Amino acid sequence: MSKKKGKDTTSLKQEEILTAVVVADDFTNKFYPIDVTKPKCLLPLANKPLLHYTLQCLIKSEVKRIYIYCANCSEEVREYIKNSKWGLPELCGATVTIVPSQDVVSIGDVFRHIDDTNLISHDFIFVPSDVVSNASLTSAWEEHKARRGKSKDVPLLTVVMNDISPQHNLRMVEDDTHIVHDINTNRIYRYNRLKPGDRYSSTLPLSILKKPDVRVMLNYSMTDTGIWICSPKVSQIFADNFDYTTPVDFIKGVIDCEEFLGHQIHMHVLEGSYCCRVLNMRLHQIIQRNLINRWLHPIVPEAIDEFQLFNSITSIDSNHEKRHIGKYNLRQNAVYIHSTSEVAQISTIGANTIIGPQTKISKLCQVTNSTVGESCQIATDSCITGSTLMNNVHVGKGSQIIDSIICNNVVIGDNVIIKRGCVLCDDVIISDDVDMSGNSIIYMYRNKNMVENKDEIETEDYSFSVVGMDGAGFLWDGNVIEDADSDEDSDKMSLDSVDEPIEDCINKIWGMKLDDLDKTDWTVASINDEDEDDDGDETMHGVDEHDGGSDDDFSEDDGSDEFTDNDLMHFQTEVIETINRRFTDNIDWDNLHLEINGSKHANNVSLENLVKTLTRSLLMICLQKKTSGDSRNLYKIYEELTEDSLPLFANYIRDDKDESMTLEVYEKFAQSHESVMASLLKIFLLLYKKDIISESVMIKWYDQNPTDVVRTKVKQVVEWLKNAEEESDEESSSDDE
C-alpha cells in the first residue's frame, strides 16, 4: 500500500514537453547466451537494432525528450546513439539522453530511480526497448490526458494494449494474459498474467457487477504491448512499494490493494496498426518476416538511413572523400538487395529476403526467407533458408543453414549442415563437414568477463564433437553463468543452475506459442459465460491471422487443411526430409527418432499433431515417388515404405487414440487423392496385418459412419474383421461349454 501522500504538483494546463522513458535492459535470461556480447536492444531486426524501432515509434508519437535507462549496457547503447541519427536532435526531432544506472535490476528500480532523482515531474510514456510498431501513441496520450483533466488524481495509468487472438502466431506464453474491464470506460478491474500450469480463473467482487453504470467483459484477446502512459504518481507508488519489481506486480497491486485510495488503471486499444514485442527468437523471426512483407508500412527495410546520408553530405562540404553509402533496392516477392552488395548472376535470391551492405554471395547459392547482414560472405553452392545471419558471417562452400540464427563474426566451414533451431553465437567457428543436430546452441562466451579475457578461454574444453576438430565453441547445457561479483572471485563464476531439461531451456529462447497450451480448466467467478464471447475480433488489427505467405501454405489438394500453422508446416517438411534420408543414406531409425523428437520440441508440436504429421508424411513421400517417375502403382510403393518404416510406427503409434488419429489422416488424405482412395482397401489390410492398427479400432472407426464414401472403400476389410471376430467369439463360447 502506498504511504506517500505528497501532492502531485503537475499542472495539466501548462505546456509540457512530451517525454518518454525507454528501458534498454531486458532483466531476464531469455536471450542468453546470445546477449552476452551484445545487449538485446541492439540485436538486429531486418538489419536494424531493435532499439531503432522503439525510438521510431516514439518519434512518430511526437515525443520530444527521451531518456534511455541502461543498467548493464550503457556504453554499447551510448555508442549506438552517437553513431546514429538518434544522437542528432536536428535529424530525429527529439533529444535522447542515456541514463546509466548500474544499481537498477528491475523495472521497479527504474521507476524508483525516476522518483528519487525527480527526473520527470509530469506525465510521461514508458516503453521497453523491444517494441516494434508503426503505431502512433498520440490518441492514447490524449485519452489519458482527457481523463486526468476531469479528475487529476484518479487516473493513474493507461496501459496500451493490442487485440490479438490467442490462436494467432504472435501470441506467446509470455502473453498469456486475461483482463476484466469496463467496456464503456476501459477501466481495468482484473489483470492476470498466467504461467504454464496455472489455473485459468478470474474472480470479481459482486459489488462491481451491481453498479448500474458498469458493464464488464472478460477479455482473453488483449495483449500488453509494454507501453504505459504514466502519471507522476506511478513512480511514487513504485518508490513506496519495494516488492513491486515488474509491471504485472504494479498493476495487480494497485488494482487489488490500493483502489480505496482512488487510483484507477485504464487501457487503450490500438486500432489499425502493428505493435508487438520481441520476447523471444521465434517472435524475432515472425516480426522480421512481417516487416519484410511490409506489414509495418511506412517502416520498411529500404528506408534511407538519414544519419549516413547526413554524414555523406557533410563530408562533401568538408572536402573529404565521398563515401558511397548505398541503399536497399526492392525487387519482386519482397526481396531487398543493398546496392553495395555483390550477388552472382547464377545465384537465386528467393522471396522474403534481405541482403545487407558489402555482402558477397557467390555463384550457385540459394538464399530465401532469410536476412543476411553486413559484410557477410556466402561461398559457392551454399543454401540458406529461413535464417538470420548477422554481420561478418562467413559460410563455406556447399553448406546449408536451415531456420537458424547465426550471430556476428561466425565462420562456417565447407559442406556444413546447420539444422533447424540452431543458434551460433558471436565468434563461433564450425569445421568443415559438420552435420549439426537441430536446436544446438553454440557459444564462445559465458559472460562479459570471458569477452574481455578471450586469451584465457580454455580451448581444450571446446565441444569438438559438435563444432568439429578445427572448430571453436561450447554446446550450451542450459546453465546461465553470470559475471563474478568481485576481483577476488574472478576465478569463479556465479552459476544460476537451471533444473529444467535442455529442451525446455531451448523453448525459452525460441518461445512457445500460447495456442500450444492446454486451457481446458477455465473458472470464471461472478461473471456470466456470455460475456466471454464479446472479446472482439480474433485477428490483430491490420494483420492476418497467420504470418506466412502463400509460398508456405499447403494447397487444399494435398488434403492438408488442418495443417495451417507455420510451425506444423515446418515440422512436416523436416519429417519428410528425415524419412527420405533413411532411404538415400541408410540412416538407422534410432538416430532418425532423435531428429524427429528434436524437431518436435523446436516446433512445439503436440503428440497428436506428431502422429498425424508422421502419417501424412509417409503418404506424401509415396505420392512424390509416384509423380517423380516410379512406374509401380501407389500401393506397391506404400507397401515397401511401410515395411521399412515399422520401427517408426512402433515408436509413435502406441495406443488406441494414436491409431484412431492415424485413420483420420488416411480418411482425409483419401478424400483429396484418387490414387490413395483406389489403394485404400489394400492399405488398410496392410495396416492390420503389420499390427499398426488393431481390428477393434478399425471397426470402431468404420461404425461411426458406414455409408461414408471412404468407409465404403474399406468395407470388405472391416466385414472380414467383424466375421473373424464373431467366429473367434463363437469358438470361445463352444470351448467354454
Side-chain angles (χ1 to χ4, degrees), residues 159-162 175 177 191 193 222-228 247-248 251 277 279:
V159 181
V160 179
M161 308 200 81
N162 217 343
D175 292 328
T177 304
Y191 182 102
R193 177 74 58 83
M222 291 297 169
T223 61
D224 192 338
T225 65
I227 303 172
W228 286 5
V248 176
I251 295 175
R277 294 185 63 187
L279 299 172

Side-chain angles (χ1 to χ4, degrees), residues 257-275:
C257 304
E258 298 204 17
E259 282 198 7
F260 64 87
L261 295 178
H263 299 313
Q264 295 180 5
I265 296 178
H266 295 78
M267 72 174 185
H268 172 85
V269 183
L270 295 173
E271 295 183 358
S273 56
Y274 189 108
C275 187

Side-chain angles (χ1 to χ4, degrees), residues 184-209:
N184 296 316
T185 66
N186 277 342
R187 179 180 174 184
I188 299 175
Y189 287 102
R190 282 291 178 271
Y191 182 102
N192 293 316
R193 177 74 58 83
L194 303 177
K195 299 177 182 178
D198 286 354
R199 182 179 175 82
Y200 285 73
S201 63
S202 187
T203 59
L204 194 66
L206 195 59
S207 58
I208 294 176
L209 297 176

Side-chain angles (χ1 to χ4, degrees), residues 161-175:
M161 308 200 81
N162 217 343
D163 189 352
I164 308 178
S165 163
Q167 289 75 42
H168 199 287
N169 59 9
L170 285 173
R171 285 293 293 271
M172 297 285 147
V173 170
E174 294 93 331
D175 292 328

Side-chain angles (χ1 to χ4, degrees), residues 676-695:
V676 176
M677 181 73 84
S679 304
L680 202 61
L681 178 65
K682 292 182 178 180
I683 289 174
F684 269 49
L685 184 58
L686 183 66
L687 291 174
Y688 169 72
K689 288 185 175 181
K690 296 299 179 182
D691 292 327
I692 299 171
I693 305 295
S694 66
E695 61 182 61

Side-chain angles (χ1 to χ4, degrees), residues 118 174 286 520 538-539 711:
N118 199 27
E174 294 93 331
I286 293 173
T520 57
E538 289 195 351
T539 57
R711 287 167 172 78

Side-chain angles (χ1 to χ4, degrees), residues 138-315:
T138 304
S139 58
W141 176 263
E142 291 175 350
E143 261 185 35
H144 174 81
K145 297 292 282 191
R147 279 191 288 264
R148 293 264 287 153
K150 293 178 182 178
S151 178
K152 183 177 176 182
D153 293 327
V154 172
L156 180 69
L157 168 71
T158 298
V159 181
V160 179
M161 308 200 81
N162 217 343
D163 189 352
I164 308 178
S165 163
Q167 289 75 42
H168 199 287
N169 59 9
L170 285 173
R171 285 293 293 271
M172 297 285 147
V173 170
E174 294 93 331
D175 292 328
D176 197 1
T177 304
H178 69 264
I179 64 172
V180 178
H181 64 95
D182 190 317
I183 63 174
N184 296 316
T185 66
N186 277 342
R187 179 180 174 184
I188 299 175
Y189 287 102
R190 282 291 178 271
Y191 182 102
N192 293 316
R193 177 74 58 83
L194 303 177
K195 299 177 182 178
D198 286 354
R199 182 179 175 82
Y200 285 73
S201 63
S202 187
T203 59
L204 194 66
L206 195 59
S207 58
I208 294 176
L209 297 176
K210 289 182 177 180
K211 294 180 179 179
D213 56 341
V214 172
R215 185 183 175 194
V216 296
M217 175 189 296
L218 172 64
N219 201 323
Y220 193 47
S221 68
M222 291 297 169
T223 61
D224 192 338
T225 65
I227 303 172
W228 286 5
I229 314 295
C230 305
S231 71
K233 283 280 187 183
V234 172
S235 300
Q236 295 176 14
I237 294 175
F238 266 109
D240 290 337
N241 295 272
F242 278 87
D243 56 332
Y244 292 172
T245 60
T246 68
V248 176
D249 292 339
F250 180 86
I251 295 175
K252 291 175 66 68
V254 169
I255 291 175
D256 295 343
C257 304
E258 298 204 17
E259 282 198 7
F260 64 87
L261 295 178
H263 299 313
Q264 295 180 5
I265 296 178
H266 295 78
M267 72 174 185
H268 172 85
V269 183
L270 295 173
E271 295 183 358
S273 56
Y274 189 108
C275 187
C276 191
R277 294 185 63 187
V278 180
L279 299 172
N280 50 56
M281 291 311 298
R282 184 188 300 275
L283 278 174
H284 175 279
Q285 298 294 75
I286 293 173
I287 295 170
Q288 182 170 259
R289 193 182 313 145
N290 292 344
L291 194 153
I292 290 172
N293 283 284
R294 310 178 80 79
W295 289 12
L296 281 84
H297 192 276
I299 300 174
V300 290
E302 77 270 23
I304 295 175
D305 189 316
E306 298 95 330
F307 181 74
Q308 289 186 352
L309 184 62
F310 176 80
N311 277 350
S312 177
I313 295 172
T314 54
S315 66

